[in-house]
Amino acid sequence: MARREPVYEVVFLLAKGIIGTQGLRVQYRGLENIPASGGVLLAVNHTSYVDFLEAGIAVKRAGRWPRYMLKAELKKIKIMAFLIKHCGAIGVDREHGAESYHEAVTALESGEAVIVYPEATISRSFELKEFKSGAARMSIEADVPIVPVIVWGTQRIWSKGTQRRAGRHRFPVVVEVGAPLLPDGATPDVLTTRLRSAMGDALERAQRGFPAPAGEDWVPARLGGGAPAPDEALRLEQQEFALRKAKREASGG
């Protein structure tokens, strides 16, 4: 399959190399919760531009080859288009998402592992945002479990509203994998609520004992950090989306 081409092998080696070069101290916890075979949807929180590395490696360490659901506009970048093609990623068009949705469901029904971000965009508050219902609907339609995955600590490296910290820094990172959630005849709304609750529990476990220096821009306000509270983060996000829309309209896009 495309995702097992040599290109994908090289990508994973590069990802491991990047983490090694940065000296990140990554703890992978609960990998036994990722089924060894069969279709499975892995729902990951989104706090940084680089959390996909740790999430993917966690799934690979569990013996699976993940297929990411990524923004379709990344295909406009030549190198990303090449990687998406050869790594089996599923491009998501937010305005016309039916095609990518059905591609993901087909992959799940075929027994593949698919990574999805139910928050859709990065959380500036580093708390869980409201979830889209797509993950629950895919789980129900394909009749596969959803596994909650929390990546915590990568927002310290590179995220929205934070200082970018490149180089070797030996930051701690936790990947916390929760128990699978079965559709069990639930409606999309009910399953989405269950998923968000399970990811909230996993987030609390990941944060337990994790450094939280007061005032730091990567630490949630709830923990005494300098990140915006959820309400303020939502306002900033809406402001950002409005500016993007205005630019698209001005350029005729």
Side-chain angles (χ1 to χ4, degrees), residues 10-168:
V10 171
V11 168
F12 266 102
L13 287 174
L14 286 174
K16 291 173 68 176
I18 290 171
I19 290 173
T21 299
Q22 292 177 322
L24 296 182
R25 294 173 287 132
V26 186
Q27 294 183 52
Y28 296 96
R29 305 195 301 225
L31 295 184
E32 68 279 3
N33 287 316
I34 300 176
S37 62
V40 59
L41 194 61
L42 300 123
V44 184
N45 69 319
H46 204 6
T47 59
S48 80
Y49 292 111
V50 294
D51 46 28
F52 70 95
L53 293 175
E54 286 76 11
I57 289 175
V59 178
K60 182 68 169 60
R61 284 170 70 103
R64 306 298 300 268
W65 286 89
R67 293 186 67 178
Y68 288 91
M69 296 192 75
L70 301 173
K71 293 186 295 185
E73 52 260 41
L74 290 174
K75 291 182 179 180
K76 297 177 183 178
I77 305 171
K78 286 187 177 181
I79 183 62
M80 288 304 299
F82 176 82
L83 292 175
I84 287 172
K85 176 182 178 181
H86 290 280
C87 296
I90 300 169
V92 179
D93 186 328
R94 289 176 186 158
E95 294 183 2
H96 307 284
E99 184 176 339
S100 56
Y101 173 89
H102 289 301
E103 184 178 354
V105 169
T106 298
L108 292 168
E109 291 175 335
S110 299
E112 298 192 69
V114 175
I115 289 179
V116 65
Y117 291 88
E119 297 169 282
T121 57
I122 289 176
S123 169
R124 290 174 177 267
S125 69
F126 311 126
E127 304 283 10
L128 294 178
K129 297 166 54 179
E130 291 303 313
F131 282 15
K132 307 295 184 183
S133 65
R137 290 188 289 109
M138 286 188 285
S139 170
I140 291 167
E141 185 168 340
D143 193 23
V144 300
I146 306 179
V147 173
V149 180
I150 292 293
V151 179
W152 187 248
T154 56
Q155 74 273 18
R156 186 176 184 178
I157 302 167
W158 186 20
S159 187
K160 290 184 177 180
T162 65
Q163 174 189 350
R164 185 174 177 181
R165 299 169 175 90
R168 187 174 179 82

